[in-house]
Amino acid sequence: MAKRIDVGGLTAYYGSHKAIEDISMTVEPRSVTAFIGPSGCGKSTFLRTLNRMHEVTPGGRVEGKVLLDDEDLYGAGVDPVTVRRTVGMVFQRPNPFPTMSIFDNVAAGLRLNGSYRKSRLAEIVEKSLRGANLWNEVKDRLNKPGSGLSGGQQQRLCIARAIAVEPDVLLMDEPCSALDPISTLAIEDLIGELKERFTIVIVTHNMQQAARVSDRTAFFNLAAVGKPGRLIEIDETERIFSNPSVQATEDYISGRFG
Ligand SMILES: Nc1ncnc2c1ncn2[C@@H]1O[C@H](COP(=O)(O)OP(=O)(O)OP(=O)(O)O)[C@@H](O)[C@H]1O
Ligand SMILES: [Mg+2]
């Protein structure tokens, strides 16, 4: 079930390096929020704080709060493994498990969660592959390795794997940057469909993509090289691309820097 994300005063470090500082924002359920901003401003770092992946990096730690509806993901007693299941992630490079079949790639997370009857597992795998608009292309080769698919198909396989466990939130870090334009459009269409069921956050360097897929856009920037990244503004996507409140946003979206 899609949930609201409420971030309050979030700062993240790599050891003594402060990568992002004092970020607060709300992400509405059943919507797409795009993160944009120049390289190194902390978009990926911030995204990984939303499902507790940041702390997997040695020296990675955070201050502040991330609420999913009313639950603080950093609260005492919260299991990060459960958080990562609730808040799914799709990466820049499609990363199917190379030795696993297409079927097993989608079933992998389900099998970790518990035991399912064979027929139930097959049902969920089909539903997830249909949900990722991949079913028709792979239904006759479910037992072939996932690594035998094209890049765009592999990325949809990773999306199927992520949605199979019915997460509340789907985080995507530049999910199309390794894809051709046709596959990119397929993923963008898919994001439009998935937002009816999930809360979606997508990082992208492609301004047209942000404008096409997202309802709201957040612009991040660095005050200077070596300084931590900050959220400059977040607003309706239409507003950000037509009449942003901050000059730096205007400069960035019109290609004057970054
Ligand atoms: N594993 C890491 N260890 C140490 N520092 C890191 C690590 N990953 C990122 N950083 C630093 O954190 C800051 C933010 O990096 P991050 O990758 O989040 O930026 P980004 O906005 O996603 O950039 P890009 O658009 O290039 O993907 C940078 O200064 C980067 O060097
Ligand atoms: Mg990044």
Side-chain angles (χ1 to χ4, degrees):
M1 204 187 59
K3 289 190 177 163
R4 165 179 291 97
I5 309 172
D6 255 308
V7 181
L10 196 102
T11 295
Y13 299 84
Y14 294 95
S16 58
H17 174 61
K18 193 192 279 185
I20 51 172
E21 184 170 63
D22 197 19
I23 295 178
S24 299
M25 71 163 72
T26 299
V27 176
E28 296 296 333
R30 291 187 190 80
S31 72
V32 179
T33 300
F35 289 176
I36 61 169
S39 189
C41 70
K43 304 176 297 296
S44 298
T45 301
F46 181 50
L47 201 69
R48 289 193 298 263
T49 67
L50 302 181
N51 74 344
R52 296 195 59 172
M53 290 261 294
H54 176 64
E55 67 207 57
V56 172
T57 307
R61 63 191 173 88
V62 309
E63 292 160 359
K65 273 188 192 323
V66 179
L67 304 185
L68 203 58
D69 281 355
D70 289 324
E71 192 194 13
D72 185 356
L73 299 186
Y74 288 93
V78 174
D79 176 8
V81 175
T82 310
V83 171
R84 285 169 212 144
R85 207 169 288 153
T86 316
V87 182
M89 189 142 184
V90 174
F91 299 86
Q92 185 167 7
R93 302 239 152 237
N95 60 346
F97 303 120
T99 56
M100 275 190 199
S101 69
I102 292 169
F103 185 97
D104 288 342
N105 258 283
V106 182
L110 294 160
R111 287 187 169 127
L112 282 179
N113 279 359
S115 57
Y116 289 82
R117 283 201 331 276
K118 230 176 149 182
S119 58
R120 179 69 187 132
L121 203 58
E123 252 171 53
I124 304 176
V125 167
E126 175 172 344
K127 180 173 167 235
S128 308
L129 285 167
R130 283 189 190 278
N133 288 339
L134 187 59
W135 175 250
N136 286 335
E137 291 157 70
V138 301
K139 62 177 191 281
D140 300 322
R141 52 198 280 209
L142 293 175
N143 294 318
K144 298 270 160 43
S147 51
L149 298 172
S150 75
Q153 288 172 328
Q154 287 186 24
Q155 196 59 303
R156 280 178 284 146
L157 180 64
C158 293
I159 293 174
R161 181 175 69 192
I163 63 180
V165 295
E166 286 288 326
D168 300 320
V169 177
L170 211 47
L171 307 175
M172 302 186 171
D173 196 351
E174 301 188 52
C176 302
S177 63
L179 306 183
D180 65 274
I182 305 265
S183 305
T184 296
L185 284 181
I187 301 277
E188 289 181 6
D189 285 347
L190 178 56
I191 291 171
E193 290 169 24
L194 293 175
K195 81 170 183 183
E196 290 171 21
R197 288 196 287 142
F198 303 102
T199 306
I200 298 180
V201 180
I202 177 176
V203 176
T204 180
H205 279 284
N206 179 330
M207 296 301 119
Q208 285 78 22
Q209 176 164 77
R212 281 193 299 260
V213 304
S214 72
D215 302 291
R216 285 164 60 82
T217 296
F219 172 62
F220 295 82
N221 200 8
L222 298 162
V225 178
K227 297 275 188 212
R230 305 194 71 135
L231 173 64
I232 305 302
E233 64 176 311
I234 176 167
D235 210 328
E236 302 298 317
T237 295
E238 231 179 83
R239 175 86 200 249
I240 291 283
F241 285 98
S242 61
N243 188 19
S245 311
V246 181
Q247 185 62 39
T249 313
E250 168 91 48
D251 291 347
Y252 183 73
I253 58 162
S254 58
R256 265 172 274 186
F257 77 97

